Amino acid sequence: MKNIILKEDKGIAEITINRPKSLNALNSETLKELGTVIEDISQRKDIQAVIITGSGDKAFVAGADIVEMQNLNAVQGRELAMLAQKVFSDIEHMPQVVIAAVNGYALGGGCELSMACDIRLASKNAKFGQPEVGLGITPGFAGTQRLPRLVGKGTAKELIFTTDMIDAEEAHRIQLANKVYEQEELMDKAREMAKKIMSKGIYAVSLAKSAINNGMNMDTESAYSYEADIFGLCFSTEDQKEGMKAFIEKRKPNFKGC
Ligand code: CO8
């Protein structure tokens, strides 16, 4: 792969978007590579958590690639949006937990990529924003949908309409960033959180992810019913038996992820 670095260590896959000269801007080649990596990892039982970050210390992803986008026609623009939406949706629905380690600018498509992840950890120098209307376009990688779901409709409209860039503390205040760390400790904190999650019943974590993500797209009664189905399913797993047995025996559970 040309624009993606993939590292694996003890069940954690670290994906680095690697186009530092363009502040890791997403062109279609990078999106396709990211899509292939995500598809591959989704099938793997030995990978239980994913961390996505950007190369260098300046940017997570500074958006879709403006150089590539400038001469697109309407059909090509739609195709690019559909490509990114598919990749981001695959990230949102992959069985593994996905943490965005936002290590600098997360603008436009970069902010949208971070929002497709389950959890966003930001470094103190991170900056979030949706600058699209300043370029004469709208967010197209599902930012108009994921941002209001995360921060509320009013704040999402303010950010999208004004194109204001916000720092990590403000992103934390509006619940766009889960936590904020010094840049040097960001990746270690992301790994630490991944390991903590992996120490739980990881199959249950995956089911909880599905209940949250799919339930949010249903009416409330259907979502409650879906949660009950998922909850019931847990009782067919070895982890449920082990988790409860360990509690009663006052010991740490030895989960198997099944
Ligand atoms: N695309 C392409 N190249 C970029 C991008 C980008 N998004 N961002 C930065 N670069 C390039 C710069 O052109 C520059 O290249 P060069 O050295 O060859 O001139 C290099 O990266 C370094 O950037 P700067 O010199 O500008 O660095 P600064 O520190 O001065 O500024 C900023 C950093 C503030 C991040 C600035 O680069 C910037 O404003 N970048 C653009 C941010 C932006 O507008 N992003 C949104 C893009 S639109 C988008 O994401 C839409 C998604 C939906 C699309 C729908 C599909 C059709």
Side-chain angles (χ1 to χ4, degrees):
M1 275 175 301
K2 206 168 135 203
N3 304 319
I4 302 275
I5 299 169
L6 175 64
K7 281 200 291 180
E8 297 178 18
D9 187 30
K10 298 187 188 88
I12 304 175
E14 289 181 14
I15 298 172
T16 304
I17 313 292
N18 185 36
R19 295 187 74 217
K21 284 190 184 141
S22 307
L23 302 186
N24 306 321
L26 296 172
N27 58 6
S28 43
E29 185 180 48
T30 310
L31 283 166
K32 283 178 193 154
E33 289 182 5
L34 182 60
T36 304
V37 171
I38 295 297
E39 231 176 280
D40 176 48
I41 294 174
S42 295
Q43 309 299 322
R44 294 192 34 197
K45 295 270 178 284
D46 59 324
I47 300 288
Q48 292 159 344
V50 177
I51 299 171
I52 301 181
T53 194
S55 180
D57 55 8
K58 198 169 165 187
F60 173 70
V61 166
D65 191 313
I66 299 169
V67 179
E68 184 186 68
M69 269 190 306
Q70 64 177 330
N71 294 319
L72 296 186
N73 62 34
V75 173
Q76 292 164 328
R78 186 168 190 277
E79 277 171 4
L80 181 64
M82 299 276 283
L83 167 65
Q85 286 180 11
K86 159 89 174 62
V87 176
F88 291 8
S89 180
D90 286 350
I91 292 171
E92 188 169 65
H93 292 289
M94 69 197 297
Q96 293 89 350
V97 169
V98 188
I99 298 172
V102 181
N103 57 322
Y105 291 111
L107 303 175
C111 187
E112 290 167 308
L113 171 61
S114 80
M115 291 190 288
C117 300
D118 297 307
I119 292 164
R120 281 151 296 288
L121 305 183
S123 58
K124 281 195 175 158
N125 66 322
K127 294 232 177 342
F128 293 80
Q130 296 288 160
E132 286 90 342
V133 299
L135 295 164
I137 58 173
T138 61
F141 296 172
T144 61
Q145 302 309 306
R146 289 199 179 95
L147 190 58
R149 282 171 172 79
L150 276 169
V151 304
K153 204 154 64 163
T155 304
K157 284 180 177 170
E158 182 186 335
L159 287 173
I160 291 171
F161 297 171
T162 64
T163 77
D164 282 349
M165 238 189 252
I166 56 170
D167 64 17
E169 291 301 339
E170 176 65 1
H172 185 231
R173 195 188 66 77
I174 64 169
Q175 297 181 23
L176 182 53
N178 294 69
K179 290 198 163 48
V180 181
Y181 297 109
E182 297 293 340
Q183 177 141 49
E184 314 78 71
E185 58 177 2
L186 179 68
M187 285 309 288
D188 282 344
K189 291 289 182 188
R191 290 178 195 121
E192 209 175 278
M193 182 180 271
K195 281 182 194 149
K196 182 180 197 172
I197 294 169
M198 286 159 67
S199 74
K200 312 293 176 192
I202 199 70
Y203 189 54
V205 170
S206 183
L207 289 176
K209 170 170 170 168
S210 168
I212 295 167
N213 283 344
N214 294 322
M216 295 277 289
N217 294 327
M218 296 175 187
D219 65 86
T220 353
E221 288 306 320
S222 307
Y224 295 159
S225 168
Y226 182 62
E227 185 192 71
D229 291 345
I230 295 250
F231 181 72
L233 185 60
C234 295
F235 289 82
S236 68
T237 67
E238 285 187 31
D239 281 358
Q240 174 270 328
K241 287 172 189 46
E242 168 61 11
M244 295 191 176
K245 194 162 180 270
F247 174 80
I248 289 161
E249 292 172 0
K250 300 191 189 305
R251 62 173 172 82
K252 277 199 168 172
N254 180 19
F255 288 123
K256 297 212 169 70
C258 57

